[in-house]
Amino acid sequence: MKSFLTAILIVYSLFLTACPKDTAVRKAAKASYELSGITVDVVNATKKAYDAGIIGLAAKDRLAGYEKTITSGGKHFNDVLSGYIAQTAGNLTADQVKILNTILSDQLVTPFLAILQELALISLDQVAYLRTAIAALRTAILIISGTIADAGFPDASRRLAYAG
Amino acid sequence: MPDNKAAVLVEIATELIVNELKRRAVAKGMTVDELVAEAQTQWQQAEDATDELSREGHDQG
């Protein structure tokens, strides 16, 4: 377990080195691409946890509800971004970045934080060493959520900073 | 078995990180249009997977 946590820390340090040369539109496009992939992975992880008996039906349903919200928000974010790219040939205005930031914060970060909270509640019912594994899962989701912070959207970044 | 549950959780966490590293490597070589198009496909996959997950455990029969 120690080596696993060390690996997580190494990966985390890699994730902190976002490319500073990326434009706002590229950062937003990368965030949408990475978050959509993460969401697929998190949904699959929820199914795996339910099938293994780690979470019950009620917890699975709550997580599926949050994941549905993330999916709807992500599709909305991508559609809005796509429209802006077509309108502006790739240069986002300050107002457009503000709108994307609001969508990201309200429709993606909020349900992600709810999932983290849900995982914390699940851990209360488990034996001590299971909590370590669940903590590793929470850390993984939190690290991966750093994609949002790397995208250069301040509201979302600030909210995620409090989630540790 | 708690041991098995812990193993599944570690496997899940590892998969999440490995997949994310792969995505980050692939994203470096993609244009903005490609990123947005691929994101659209993945968001649709996520929606389909979520719908299936919501139904699990509630299926009739």
Side-chain angles (χ1 to χ4, degrees):
Chain A
M1 184 54 69
K2 267 185 185 175
S3 60
F4 178 73
L5 292 174
T6 308
I8 283 179
L9 286 174
I10 292 166
V11 170
Y12 185 46
S13 65
L14 288 173
F15 283 0
L16 289 175
T17 54
C19 182
K21 281 187 259 175
D22 281 351
T23 59
V25 71
R26 185 168 174 82
K27 283 177 181 174
K30 268 169 88 174
S32 188
Y33 166 71
E34 289 175 12
L35 284 169
S36 56
I38 291 160
T39 305
V40 172
D41 286 347
V42 170
V43 174
N44 290 338
T46 307
K47 179 177 164 44
K48 213 176 247 189
Y50 173 66
D51 290 345
I54 295 165
I55 56 172
L57 184 62
K60 185 273 290 177
D61 285 345
R62 282 196 298 277
L63 289 170
Y66 299 135
E67 288 155 10
K68 183 80 183 164
T69 309
I70 291 172
T71 303
S72 302
K75 283 180 85 172
H76 184 208
F77 181 86
N78 205 61
D79 287 346
V80 171
L81 175 62
S82 199
Y84 287 163
I85 290 170
Q87 280 172 20
T88 63
N91 295 312
L92 298 180
T93 66
D95 281 349
Q96 289 172 336
V97 171
K98 195 175 169 186
I99 290 168
L100 288 172
N101 189 24
T102 304
I103 297 170
L104 203 55
S105 182
D106 293 352
Q107 297 178 31
L108 286 155
V109 174
T110 298
F112 252 119
L113 294 179
I115 287 174
L116 291 175
Q117 194 175 16
E118 185 75 27
L119 288 172
L121 290 175
I122 289 165
S123 71
L124 294 176
D125 299 330
Q126 308 292 340
V127 294
Y129 64 96
L130 249 185
R131 288 184 191 175
T132 312
I134 289 172
L137 177 58
R138 290 184 74 234
T139 307
I141 291 179
L142 194 59
I143 288 168
I144 287 164
S145 303
T147 300
I148 297 169
D150 287 350
F153 294 99
D155 287 356
S157 304
R158 218 174 9 254
R159 297 186 62 201
L160 279 167
Y162 289 110
Chain B
M1 282 287 289
D3 277 339
N4 183 47
K5 287 180 181 179
V8 170
L9 283 166
V10 171
E11 183 190 316
I12 287 170
T14 307
E15 269 181 23
L16 284 170
I17 289 176
V18 169
N19 287 349
E20 176 58 10
L21 283 175
K22 282 182 191 167
R23 266 192 297 273
R24 291 206 166 206
V26 171
K28 281 183 183 173
M30 292 168 82
T31 65
V32 168
D33 286 344
E34 286 169 342
L35 287 166
V36 172
E38 190 57 33
Q40 191 174 13
T41 304
Q42 291 186 154
W43 282 123
Q44 189 56 53
Q45 283 174 359
E47 185 171 57
D48 295 344
T50 307
D51 288 343
E52 197 180 316
L53 180 67
S54 297
R55 282 195 299 271
E56 196 161 333
H58 299 286
D59 292 336
Q60 295 290 324

